[in-house]
Amino acid sequence: MSTPNPASFPAGPSRILPTIASPSVASPIPALAVSEASRTSARPSARPAPYRPGTFRSLAPVVDEILEDVRAIAEGRLEGVDGVVDKAKEVLAALKEMRATALALPGGDMSTDELEAVERELARRADERRETLRRFAAAATPTIDAVPPAADATVSA
């Protein structure tokens, strides 16, 4: 198998995914580069959750209410736009919070092209590991009983 050309991957700041790469393996993708310090200090169980439950929620009900209010205003059934403005501000605040949280997630700052490059690299590595395991399974590995005894090893009774 050929090694991917690092120049073909998108440039960007180094990223760390502590459980993916070994420190002895250089990766053409910055997201897969791991330092020994980051491997030992980043324990998944020790990290707090990067987001609160309920951070990512559907905004469809609020948008639906805004559209109903706009229609009611257009039809003359509702006076004033303060309710619409407040709901629009609520949607904007929720979107800002969701965006900030998504960017804080591991890999959240990566573009889809970068994520696809990481996915391809991980698939390539998995294929290499499968091939190594296949070759190992196919190799003749005699057991200790199948190995002939050494000529000088005599058993005396």
Side-chain angles (χ1 to χ4, degrees), residues 54-75:
T55 299
F56 298 102
R57 60 187 172 92
S58 174
L59 297 177
V62 180
V63 172
D64 187 48
E65 289 176 13
I66 291 172
L67 293 175
E68 286 178 12
D69 289 351
V70 168
R71 183 175 180 158
I73 290 170
E75 293 174 350

Side-chain angles (χ1 to χ4, degrees), residues 132-149:
T132 301
L133 290 172
R134 188 197 60 74
R135 281 187 276 127
F136 180 74
T141 52
T143 63
I144 194 68
D145 295 334
V147 176

